[in-house]
Amino acid sequence: MTTTASSRRAVVAGLLTTGSLAASRAWSNPIQPETVTIGFITTLSTPAGYIGEDERDAFNLAIAEGGGKLGGVPVRLDIEDDALKPANAKQAADRMVQGGIRLFTGVNFSNVLAAVVPSVLASGGTYVSLNPGPSTFAGERCHPNYFVTSYQNDAFHEASGLAADELAYKKVVLLAPNYQAGRDALEGFKRTYKGTVAGEIYTKLDQTDFSVELARVRALAPDAIYQFHPGGAGINFAKQYANAGLGRTVPMLIPSFSMDARMVAATGDAANGIYASAIWTSEVDNPASVAFVTAFRKAYSRTPTTYAQQSYDTARLIGSALEAVNGDLRKQDQFRNALRAAKFVSVRGKFAFGPNQHPVQDYYLTRFEKNGAGEIVQNIVRKIASDRGDAYVSKCTMN
Amino acid sequence: MLLFVEQILNGLQYGAMLFMLASGLTLIFGIMGVINLTHGCFYMVGAYCAAFAVMSTGSFLVGILAALAGAGLYAVMVEVAVVQWLYRRDHLYQVLATLGLILFTNEAVSMIFGRRPPLLDIPPLLQGSVAILPGLDYPVMRLAFIGVGALVAVGLWLLVNHTRIGMLIRAGADDREMVDALGVDIRRLYTLVFGLGGLLCGLAGVMAAPLLAIEIGMGERVLITTFVVIVIGGVGSVRGALVGALLVGMVDSLGRAYLPQVLQGLLPASVADTLSAGLVSASIYVLMAAVLLVRPLGLLPARA
């Protein structure tokens, strides 16, 4: 009885001593910040695995360029593969939260994000999204500890609507898979487009053959189509569109992430001539972007996708905020304010946060075309929107 | 009018693919009484073998051979190693064993070929589209698909009705003990039929690979539709599989083409879009239910 009591006292004493030691170390040497661990849950397997790879690699590139640091603070990534399953991601997030991690990023898909963000925010942690920006978290459920550095989900589609007007397409046919993001995409497009929508065609989410839909497009004979089919379905769509001879007669407009650098490689010439709305392409000519593309190609022997760019920007944004608090995430208000200020050089050019902590940025019309070397690249045609925010910002009341 | 013709062709092409998958499945199910859920995997194995053969040799012809050989041999392997021990067992055992084989095959394929799906281009000869009517261009690859489907149908008809093997297959379907008693090695015959089923899946795989996506689990996606086809056509008959495949192909493509338009004329746009998308997905099951109401054994069952 007494022995266990005394040993318990000894343990408590020991804990107190080490605790105070750690505290005194932090006090005596504020210049050397402790290593910050960032929870990085992303999709590394499944056919969409290449997207997570690009995001992870670009984030690591930013850390490597800082010599293992972001904003002068040593950083360690805790990487977990969610295999595109929200349940996996939630489990990983809960484990990381219990392990004391307070800063998260990495998730690529909106449905996975919806599983991770509540866990993180409930624990008082901060989430910085590098790709998805669902409308729910942009409007009523916006949160002081939740940031999106890429775009609000509808923004690309709204930009595409503007682009269709600029290209003088009077009559378009819209195609998207029949699920939330697909319907949101077409709503976003219609929000800004002024011409006539000749048809809205919904496909099955896992559809791989589009022969029936292509025949309907041919019959409707529009000036152009706007289609949103991410990943493998997008590759199939573009290939079948070109093979059916429609590519020559009806131009195709897409959001940039429906045809990334990897998909261009997979579709071959089928991507030639496609228009896309974008916030950045590998051909953007500013010093930060050129340096990023060069470094990424050197490190990984491939051209970065738009996902890689967004991840790289996210890493540098986090770096700027870590620098402001010298890696001490307990100074939450200061850390949050530093994130909100977004004092970093963005690869995409201008970058700022709106009141709902989603980007206010420029959008471009781009075109996939062959360069001098015969490779298909995504060239910028012109800017179509300046300092554009999103449609949900007015619904966000943050306190 | 042109739209209608094009949708008929699309239906034919989808029907041709379903027929290649369903004819093998219906033989295996109808003759041996085996529920084989692994059937879709043979299609995937065929597509993967084709893609990697084409990537390493550059010849589509080699790809076809690789798909046929790969899928056919894998089917024979499955039969010899697992399925032949289950002929006398209850269907539940067969479902469990072949379900396990699906998981095994998916894992094995991703270990051998990698997690990143390969891509197969349409061979240069079959690229692009051709004018079949004034104002109607149709992709050559899809026409070739229809042609191959027709060849398979004729070939199977000849095999089943005009060869000794075909006679044994028909006899085996009716009374396996009798065929066995006549001194025919029924075990070997079964292995042969299983291999033939795999071969046809491989053919469907190599034809579909350049048009559709090659990925792990692509077989399970078509498997349910394939079962719907043989249920509609009547279990065990190749003619039934042909009729069922064409029916399902047509209903699917015409439904996807016209149902949204019809509903948009009747209902407000937002309701019509969601409703038609749902109805289109359900259309082949509605067809199956309707057929079973009138003919519970399917349209052309083997043992009417």
Side-chain angles (χ1 to χ4, degrees):
Chain A
M1 201 59 184
T2 45
T3 43
T4 45
S6 66
S7 65
R8 194 184 299 149
R9 213 174 300 134
V11 169
V12 169
L15 279 175
L16 281 176
T17 341
T18 45
S20 58
L21 268 178
S24 66
R25 204 187 310 138
W27 272 110
S28 65
N29 199 357
I31 296 115
Q32 275 302 320
E34 284 176 43
T35 301
V36 170
T37 306
I38 302 175
F40 198 94
I41 302 165
T42 195
T43 306
L44 293 169
S45 55
T46 78
Y50 77 88
I51 296 174
E53 278 172 24
D54 254 31
E55 287 162 349
R56 177 198 62 197
D57 291 351
F59 207 97
N60 274 329
L61 178 67
I63 296 174
E65 284 176 346
K69 296 174 182 174
L70 283 179
V73 176
V75 166
R76 200 181 72 81
L77 287 191
D78 190 344
I79 300 171
E80 235 2 288
D81 174 22
D82 59 39
L84 230 169
K85 292 194 179 83
N88 289 8
K90 172 147 178 51
Q91 225 168 36
D94 289 343
R95 177 184 68 71
M96 289 175 179
V97 163
Q98 271 158 27
I101 296 179
R102 300 176 57 82
L103 179 56
F104 289 80
T105 185
V107 171
N108 184 67
F109 291 92
S110 292
N111 57 335
V112 181
L113 187 82
V116 169
V117 165
S119 296
V120 171
L121 296 182
S123 76
T126 304
Y127 192 90
V128 186
S129 175
L130 52 70
N131 188 52
S135 57
T136 43
F137 296 126
E140 281 147 15
R141 287 178 66 196
C142 65
H143 193 283
N145 287 357
Y146 170 80
F147 293 80
V148 173
T149 55
S150 46
Y151 50 85
Q152 199 280 316
N153 277 3
D154 304 13
F156 268 79
H157 310 296
E158 291 167 8
S160 296
L162 297 172
D165 286 330
E166 289 243 338
L167 290 164
Y169 295 148
K170 297 269 177 283
K171 182 179 154 196
V172 298
V173 170
L174 313 178
L175 301 105
N178 188 26
Y179 76 123
Q180 192 59 44
R183 287 191 294 270
D184 286 353
L186 300 195
E187 285 308 313
F189 183 88
K190 287 191 287 184
R191 202 173 288 147
T192 52
Y193 178 60
K194 295 191 184 70
T196 316
V197 176
E200 282 178 53
I201 303 177
Y202 286 101
T203 55
K204 267 191 277 182
L205 188 52
D206 59 353
Q207 193 168 325
T208 49
D209 192 349
F210 299 98
S211 57
V212 171
E213 288 74 18
L214 297 184
R216 274 192 71 195
V217 167
R218 203 196 303 272
L220 289 165
D223 295 337
I225 64 159
Y226 180 64
Q227 67 95 2
F228 160 67
H229 284 94
I235 296 177
N236 276 7
F237 192 97
K239 279 171 78 176
Q240 291 172 15
Y241 199 77
N243 193 48
L246 276 165
R248 289 193 302 275
T249 52
V250 184
M252 188 196 294
L253 180 63
I254 55 171
S256 195
F257 45 78
S258 279
M259 184 55 72
D260 59 52
R262 298 276 194 105
M263 290 166 76
V264 169
T267 44
D269 280 354
N272 203 7
I274 294 178
Y275 285 104
S277 58
I279 52 172
W280 173 88
T281 88
S282 58
E283 307 307 301
V284 163
D285 193 18
N286 70 48
S289 178
V290 171
F292 163 64
V293 173
T294 313
F296 191 94
R297 281 196 178 129
K298 192 167 166 243
Y300 306 112
S301 318
R302 60 173 195 265
T303 300
T305 60
T306 185
Y307 304 105
Q309 169 264 321
Q310 290 166 192
S311 178
Y312 187 77
D313 269 359
T314 305
R316 306 239 291 197
L317 167 74
I318 287 175
S320 73
L322 286 176
E323 192 172 10
V325 295
N326 197 27
D328 186 358
L329 291 179
R330 282 164 298 188
K331 297 176 185 163
Q332 198 166 28
D333 286 345
Q334 259 175 283
F335 182 65
R336 193 159 51 209
N337 289 337
L339 279 175
R340 214 177 273 156
K343 284 212 166 37
F344 72 106
V345 182
S346 168
V347 167
R348 74 192 88 169
K350 273 196 297 182
F351 182 91
F353 279 119
N356 59 347
Q357 299 179 167
H358 283 61
V360 173
Q361 58 192 340
D362 298 345
Y363 290 86
Y364 300 90
L365 172 64
T366 64
R367 188 163 195 255
F368 291 89
E369 47 202 3
K370 287 199 173 155
N371 66 6
E375 298 158 340
I376 293 182
V377 293
Q378 189 179 2
N379 283 324
I380 293 205
V381 179
R382 61 173 153 318
K383 193 193 277 187
I384 45 177
S386 291
D387 298 326
R388 195 179 166 82
D390 60 80
Y392 301 94
V393 67
S394 59
K395 286 189 194 145
C396 167
T397 46
M398 221 181 289
N399 36 33
Chain B
M1 186 59 208
L2 286 182
L3 176 65
F4 184 72
V5 174
E6 188 167 358
Q7 298 300 9
I8 292 286
L9 285 171
N10 286 333
L12 272 179
Q13 186 252 310
Y14 188 36
M17 175 170 132
L18 288 176
F19 175 65
M20 289 183 214
L21 297 169
S23 52
L25 188 67
T26 201
L27 284 177
I28 291 167
F29 193 22
I31 294 167
M32 309 185 221
V34 177
I35 296 189
N36 175 33
L37 299 184
T38 329
H39 202 71
C41 293
F42 304 153
Y43 166 68
M44 173 178 70
V45 168
Y48 268 91
C49 289
F52 278 85
V54 171
M55 269 155 72
S56 50
T57 65
S59 153
F60 196 70
L61 207 64
V62 176
I64 295 178
L65 293 177
L68 294 181
L73 286 177
Y74 185 62
V76 168
M77 251 168 64
V78 164
E79 203 272 347
V80 169
V82 180
V83 175
Q84 66 156 309
W85 309 103
L86 301 170
Y87 286 136
R88 308 234 168 247
R89 292 289 191 106
D90 192 64
H91 277 165
L92 187 62
Y93 290 93
Q94 299 164 357
V95 167
L96 278 178
T98 50
L99 186 70
L101 275 170
I102 290 183
L103 304 178
F104 168 80
T105 313
N106 285 347
E107 213 45 52
V109 166
S110 62
M111 275 165 74
I112 296 169
F113 294 112
R115 286 224 162 261
R116 190 160 308 154
L119 288 148
L120 189 55
D121 274 334
I122 298 175
L125 198 66
L126 301 176
Q127 264 170 17
S129 48
V130 63
I132 30 176
L133 285 173
L136 175 57
D137 289 346
Y138 198 72
V140 183
M141 185 67 206
R142 291 184 193 271
L143 286 175
F145 211 130
I146 297 171
V148 170
L151 281 180
V152 168
V154 172
L156 274 178
W157 177 75
L158 285 174
L159 179 79
V160 173
N161 292 309
H162 295 274
T163 62
R164 191 180 135 75
I165 289 183
M167 187 193 73
L168 290 174
I169 287 175
R170 278 178 292 143
D174 284 336
D175 192 336
R176 74 176 86 173
E177 277 78 21
M178 188 59 85
V179 178
D180 212 12
L182 286 172
V184 176
D185 187 348
I186 198 106
R187 272 276 156 83
R188 275 238 318 267
L189 182 70
Y190 282 7
T191 311
L192 207 72
V193 173
F194 222 86
L196 177 68
L199 203 80
L200 290 169
C201 283
L203 189 60
V206 66
M207 294 302 289
L211 280 175
L212 314 176
I214 306 173
E215 59 187 324
I216 305 292
M218 64 195 273
E220 284 94 274
R221 254 189 222 177
V222 292
L223 185 69
I224 294 172
T225 317
T226 311
F227 269 108
V228 169
V229 164
I230 66 171
V231 168
I232 289 176
V235 170
S237 93
V238 176
R239 278 193 310 154
L242 181 62
V243 172
L246 290 177
L247 254 179
V248 169
M250 290 300 164
V251 166
D252 183 80
S253 91
L254 294 180
R256 267 158 62 199
Y258 291 107
L259 210 60
Q261 283 161 277
V262 171
L263 285 180
Q264 266 159 16
L266 301 172
L267 296 164
S270 56
V271 183
D273 286 332
T274 353
L275 187 65
S276 59
L279 280 179
V280 163
S281 308
S283 62
I284 59 165
Y285 305 104
V286 174
L287 171 73
M288 178 170 78
V291 167
L292 290 183
L293 265 176
V294 186
R295 302 194 54 138
L297 288 178
L299 293 172
L300 298 165
R303 277 154 281 182

